[in-house]
Amino acid sequence: MNPAKGQLTARGIAIGCVGCAIITAASAYTALKMGALPWPIIFAAIISLFFLKALGNTNLHEANVTHTIMSAGAMVAGGLAFTIPGIWIITKANDVNWWEMLIVALSGVILGLICTAVLRKHFIEDADLEYPIGQAAAQTLIAGNSGGKTGKKLFGSMALAGIYTALRDWFGMIPAMLFGSVSIPGVAFGIYNSPMLLAVGFLVGTASVVVWFVGAIIGNFGIIVGGSGLGLWDTATGQGITASLGMGAMMGCGIGAILKNILPKAIGLIKATSASPAPLKPTTPAAAGQPESRKRRMRWTAGAIALAVAAVALLLCFGLRLDPLASAIVVLLAWVTTAMGAQSVGQTGIDPMEIFGLIVLLIVAAASNVAQVQLFFVAGVIAVACGLAGDVMNDFKAGHVLGTDPKAQWIGQAIGGVLGALVAVAVLFVLVSAYGADAFGTQGTFVAAQASVVATMVSGIPSVPAFAIGLIAGCALYLLGLPVMMLGLGIYLPFYMSFTAFLGAMAKVGYDAVCKRRRAKLPADEASDRKKEQEETGLVAASGLLGGESVVGVLVAFASVTMGLGL
C-alpha cells in the first residue's frame, strides 16, 4: 500500500503550484523591496486548507503536502534576491543572462533537496529540534477550521492592496512617499505609501520591529545627523559609517548563530550522519530478505545522490564558467552550510542564508581565481540551497507532528522548488528589464539590502573600522540572546522603510488592544475561540495586503516590459 495515497494528490499539486507561483513572485518582490523575507509557511497552510476544504473530503496530510508545495519557492526567491542583484548594484548594467540565474537557482534547489533528504532523520527524529515555524504550521492545520470568511478576508485585502498599488505605480494617482519633502541632510525621511511594508511591520512582531526602529534612529539620527552636527565627520562619511556598521551587525549575527547554535553539535552531526545503520535482524522467514533489499535501496540512493551532485558540479563548471576547484568547493560546502542552516532554523527559526552564501563566496575568492560576477553566482547557489533547506526542514517537522509521509513532502518540495526557481528567475528578469540596473540598491526603487551587503563585501567596505565594530557587537549581542539582526537591518535600511514598518507594528498594537477589549465582554470559552479567530483574521488580512502589492507590482513591471518591447 502506498503510504502517500491521499496525501500527494493531483488537486493538491494543482492548488500548491498556483499558490507557489503567487507566493514566490510576492516573495521575490518583498525581498527586493524590504531586504527581508517573512516565512510564508503558516499563511500557505491556512490557504491550502481553505481551498481543499472548499473542494470537500480532505485531510490534514493532504493539506500539509499542499502547503509544502505552496511555500517551497519563497526561500528560493529569497536566495536569488539576496545575492544576484548585487551584480547590478556594482556594475550598474543588466549583463546577467536569465539562463545563468536559472542555473544558479536550479543548482541550489538540487543541492538543498539532496542534503535535506539525507539530514532529515537526524534533525527531525534523532536530534528532535524544535523548528518553531514548522510546529506552528502543524498546529495551524490542526486547529484550522477555515470557511468562506477566510477567502473573503484574503482576497478582499489582496484586491484592496492591488488596486492601491496600481493607482500608485501605474496611474500615478497616489504619491509613493508621504512627507518626503521634509529635508534632513543624509536621512531619507518620509512614510512609504505601501500596504506591503505596513503589513510586514504588522506580521513580524512588535518587539522585533521596535528594535528595528531603534536601529534606524541610531544610524540616521545618531550617527549621520548627530555625528555631522558635532563636526565628527561630514554627511557622506556618516552614511558610509552607518552602512558599514549595519552590515557588520547583520553579518555578526550570522556568525553568532553559527557559534551558538551549530558548532557545538557539528561533531555529533558528522558522526550521526556518517555512522553505518545497524543491521536488521529478521526474525521470520518473510523478513529474511529485507536486509539485502535495504542495502540495494541504499546503493541506488547513494548512486542517485552522487549523480545529482556530479550534475550540479558540471552545471557550475560549464554553465556558470566556474573552474573545477571553485565548483568542488561550492558542492562540498553546500553540505556543511545546509546542515548549519537546518540547525539554525530548528533552534531559532532564523535562516541566515545570505550569510552562508557570503562565507562560501569569500572562501572561493581566496582559494580560486574567480571573476567578480561569478562570485555572486557562488553566493546565490549556497543561499538558495540553505533557504530551501530551512523551508524543507520546517515542513518535515510539521509532517512529523502530523504523521505525514516524508516522501510525499519531499516530492512536494521538489515540485515547488523547481517551479519556484522558474518563477523567481522570471520575476528578477522582468524587474531589472522594466526598471533598469540603477533601480537596485539602497537609493533605488528596490533597496535589496542583503544583496547590497554582498556587493559591498565584494567591491569594498566604506568604513572598515565601523564594519569591524558592528561585526563584533553583532556576534556578542546575538550570543546574549538579543535580536541584533533586526537592529542591524534598521541601521542599514533607509529611514523611511523602517519608519513605515514601525507604523505597521503600531497598527498591530492597536488591533490587539481593540480585540482584547471586545473579548473581555465574552465568557472565557467563547473568548478563547474568538482570540484564535481574531489572530487568524489579522494574519490573513495582513498577508493579503503583502501579497496584493507584491503580485500587482510584478504585473506592473511585466506590463511595462511588454509595452517597451512593443508586444
Side-chain angles (χ1 to χ4, degrees):
M1 181 177 177
N2 182 7
K5 187 176 181 180
Q7 301 186 15
L8 182 66
T9 63
R11 67 178 188 175
I13 292 173
I15 293 171
C17 284
V18 172
C20 177
I22 295 172
I23 289 176
T24 301
S27 296
Y29 191 87
T30 303
L32 291 171
K33 280 280 191 180
M34 285 295 304
L37 187 59
W39 291 104
I41 295 174
I42 296 175
F43 169 71
I46 292 173
I47 300 309
S48 297
L49 190 59
F50 164 73
F51 279 107
L52 287 170
K53 278 196 170 188
L55 295 176
N57 193 29
T58 187
N59 58 74
L60 290 182
H61 301 306
E62 184 183 22
N64 192 33
V65 174
T66 301
H67 109 261
T68 297
I69 299 171
M70 193 177 289
S71 66
M75 294 301 124
V76 177
L80 287 180
F82 288 167
T83 53
I84 298 301
I87 301 172
W88 305 324
I89 293 170
I90 285 181
T91 64
K92 300 300 179 184
N94 180 14
D95 54 3
V96 181
N97 296 313
W98 66 266
W99 52 265
E100 291 176 317
M101 286 193 284
L102 186 59
I103 290 174
V104 169
L106 291 177
S107 297
V109 167
I110 293 170
L111 290 173
L113 289 170
I114 292 171
C115 294
T116 49
V118 174
L119 297 172
R120 185 199 69 83
K121 186 177 186 300
H122 172 75
F123 282 118
I124 302 300
E125 297 180 15
D126 298 337
D128 194 25
L129 298 184
E130 290 186 4
Y131 287 98
I133 306 299
Q135 290 212 52
Q139 296 307 318
T140 298
L141 290 173
I142 292 171
N145 189 24
S146 303
K149 291 183 179 180
T150 298
K152 291 178 181 179
K153 294 170 188 173
L154 173 68
F155 294 115
S157 62
M158 285 187 71
L160 179 65
I163 293 170
Y164 197 89
T165 302
L167 292 174
R168 185 193 67 200
D169 294 349
W170 186 254
F171 297 102
M173 297 173 64
I174 298 174
M177 193 76 67
L178 300 176
F179 306 108
S181 59
V182 177
S183 178
I184 302 175
V187 178
F189 187 84
I191 299 174
Y192 188 41
N193 215 347
S194 168
M196 177 186 73
L197 196 48
L198 290 170
V200 168
F202 190 97
L203 291 169
V204 167
T206 304
S208 295
V209 178
V210 167
V211 172
W212 177 356
F213 189 59
V214 168
I217 297 294
I218 292 172
N220 289 274
F221 292 95
I223 298 174
I224 297 176
V225 175
S228 60
L230 293 173
L232 300 177
W233 43 68
D234 58 28
T235 298
T237 302
Q239 289 175 319
I241 292 172
T242 299
S244 301
L245 183 66
M247 286 188 295
M250 287 188 285
M251 190 167 181
C253 176
I255 293 173
I258 294 170
L259 294 176
K260 182 177 181 179
N261 303 326
I262 297 165
L263 288 184
K265 295 186 178 181
I267 297 176
L269 168 64
I270 294 171
K271 290 180 178 179
T273 54
S274 61
S276 300
L280 298 178
K281 297 180 179 180
T283 57
T284 66
Q290 288 184 5
E292 186 59 36
S293 175
R294 184 181 182 189
K295 290 178 182 178
R296 188 160 48 250
R297 287 198 304 270
M298 290 179 65
R299 285 195 295 268
W300 277 103
T301 300
I305 290 174
L307 185 61
V309 170
V312 171
L314 291 174
L315 272 176
L316 298 178
C317 280
F318 296 104
L320 301 180
R321 300 180 299 281
L322 295 180
D323 61 53
L325 176 59
S327 299
I329 292 173
V330 171
V331 170
L332 290 174
L333 290 185
W335 290 88
V336 177
T337 53
T338 51
M340 292 162 65
Q343 179 97 20
S344 178
V345 172
Q347 293 181 314
T348 69
I350 298 173
D351 190 354
M353 63 184 96
E354 74 285 353
I355 302 298
F356 294 133
L358 188 54
I359 291 171
V360 176
L361 176 155
L362 295 174
I363 292 172
V364 169
S368 179
N369 185 22
V370 176
Q372 192 177 67
V373 169
Q374 273 67 38
L375 289 175
F376 287 95
F377 294 158
V378 168
V381 171
I382 296 297
V384 169
C386 292
L388 185 69
D391 184 77
V392 173
M393 300 307 283
N394 272 325
D395 291 333
F396 277 150
K397 184 65 177 184
H400 185 63
V401 172
L402 297 172
T404 307
D405 179 28
K407 291 182 180 178
Q409 287 192 278
W410 189 89
I411 293 171
Q413 276 286 349
I415 294 170
V418 172
L419 177 60
L422 296 171
V423 172
V425 168
V427 169
L428 262 65
F429 180 76
V430 165
L431 292 178
V432 73
S433 299
Y435 292 96
D438 289 338
F440 295 84
T442 53
Q443 304 304 317
T445 303
F446 302 99
V447 296
Q450 309 293 359
S452 297
V453 172
V454 178
T456 303
M457 293 297 294
V458 171
S459 61
I461 300 170
S463 174
V464 174
F467 178 81
I469 291 171
L471 190 72
I472 295 170
C475 184
L477 291 173
Y478 182 86
L479 294 176
L480 293 173
L482 299 176
V484 68
M485 179 64 78
M486 302 306 294
L487 184 72
L489 194 65
I491 294 172
Y492 186 76
L493 287 176
F495 181 78
Y496 71 86
M497 297 192 70
S498 303
F499 189 28
T500 308
F502 176 74
L503 294 178
M506 293 302 99
K508 176 68 161 58
V509 172
Y511 175 78
D512 288 344
V514 171
C515 291
K516 185 176 181 180
R517 193 178 305 119
R518 291 180 177 178
R519 292 197 306 269
K521 302 176 182 179
L522 301 174
D525 293 344
E526 188 177 345
S528 178
D529 294 337
R530 183 63 60 86
K531 181 179 180 181
K532 293 178 182 178
E533 180 183 342
Q534 289 169 341
E535 289 174 348
E536 181 182 291
T537 297
L539 171 65
V540 170
S543 298
L545 292 178
L546 190 154
E549 178 174 346
S550 301
V551 172
V552 172
V554 172
L555 292 177
V556 168
F558 179 77
S560 176
V561 173
T562 302
M563 293 178 65
L565 293 175
L567 299 177

